Amino acid sequence: MENLKRDIEKILFNHEDIVHATKRVAEQIMEDYKNSEQPPVLLCTLKGALPFMGELIKHIDIHIVIDFIDVASYHGGTESTGSIILRKDVTMDLEDRDVIIVEDIVDTGRTLKHLITYLKERKVKSIACASLVDKPEARLVDVQADYVGVESPNEFLVGFGLDYDEKYRNLPYIGVLKPEVYS
Ligand code: PRP
């Protein structure tokens, strides 16, 4: 990964940090859902949460089921536009199910708030959110993840699912881009 690393100004969370944080989240989820009537639905929000989802489910040692939804709030830039589009809906019937939204990042919080409203309309039994990254200083709406991997300063992040213009999702760490890459 030396090639892409040339565009990175600094690494905030290396791969080991991410795996460690993800295992902690997995343990918390196991503890909270071990007595659930039905396996919780881990709902991966595409595309950014895919690497976190992949890591997370490896460490959950109780029954779960998975599904995917794609909502978009950023459109290729570095700032949230505030508008949200449903690109791909869930495939399962979520009525009366415990749903854990799996996010890569809670930034302004708009996406999570929108998802919670959407899932309530589907008559789910409960809603929680596990986010790899929380960026509390960026919050514009009152919402928070129940399980947080790492807390980040208010910087534009790439890697481990997080993109700039759809790129850098494949980095095994989370870092900050050099300004010349996007200016
Ligand atoms: C990103 C990220 C979260 C959301 C967080 O998704 O995956 O879903 O933005 O931002 P917010 O808290 O300000 O709403 P994005 O819409 O960029 O789609 P992607 O996952 O496909 O990159």
Side-chain angles (χ1 to χ4, degrees):
M1 286 290 173
E2 288 306 306
N3 186 38
L4 296 179
K5 210 174 189 175
R6 285 188 212 117
D7 292 349
I8 303 298
E9 185 166 88
K10 59 182 172 188
I11 293 175
L12 293 185
F13 306 103
N14 64 32
H15 191 69
E16 202 187 345
D17 297 332
I18 292 169
V19 172
H20 183 78
T22 305
K23 280 183 182 169
R24 185 171 38 75
V25 169
E27 278 161 23
Q28 291 167 347
I29 288 173
M30 278 193 281
E31 181 60 30
D32 291 352
Y33 291 87
K34 65 184 179 199
N35 297 322
S36 297
E37 244 170 75
Q38 291 196 83
V41 182
L42 268 74
L43 184 58
C44 176
T45 58
L46 297 169
K47 304 172 192 166
L50 181 69
F52 177 49
M53 178 82 165
E55 187 64 39
L56 183 63
I57 62 173
K58 290 194 286 184
H59 304 291
I60 298 181
D61 192 18
I62 58 171
H63 285 300
I64 57 155
V65 295
I66 64 173
D67 205 345
F68 298 86
I69 192 167
D70 189 359
V71 291
S73 64
Y74 292 6
H75 303 286
T78 57
E79 282 180 35
S80 170
T81 59
S83 60
I84 285 171
I85 302 161
L86 181 66
R87 285 175 170 158
K88 183 214 165 292
D89 205 351
V90 293
T91 53
M92 292 181 61
D93 178 6
L94 297 180
E95 191 170 335
D96 215 24
R97 300 297 297 254
D98 295 308
V99 178
I100 305 170
I101 299 165
V102 178
E103 268 289 17
D104 50 342
I105 188 165
V106 182
D107 200 329
T108 66
R110 285 190 181 115
T111 306
L112 180 54
K113 185 121 188 171
H114 176 83
L115 276 169
I116 290 170
T117 305
Y118 181 73
L119 291 171
K120 279 182 181 162
E121 287 166 10
R122 309 286 288 244
K123 299 189 177 73
V124 298
K125 184 177 178 188
S126 70
I127 306 169
C129 175
S131 184
L132 174 58
V133 181
D134 187 18
K135 213 196 263 184
E137 288 167 38
R139 201 76 88 252
L140 294 177
V141 296
D142 185 23
V143 71
Q144 61 188 39
D146 304 85
Y147 309 97
V148 170
V150 294
E151 197 169 293
S152 160
N154 197 4
E155 295 193 76
F156 185 75
L157 308 174
V158 294
F160 214 80
L162 295 157
D163 73 306
Y164 168 62
D165 206 12
E166 294 295 329
K167 294 177 287 192
Y168 302 100
R169 296 191 199 272
N170 49 322
L171 296 177
Y173 50 81
I174 293 173
V176 178
L177 279 178
K178 289 179 181 164
E180 60 260 36
V181 176
Y182 54 82
S183 58

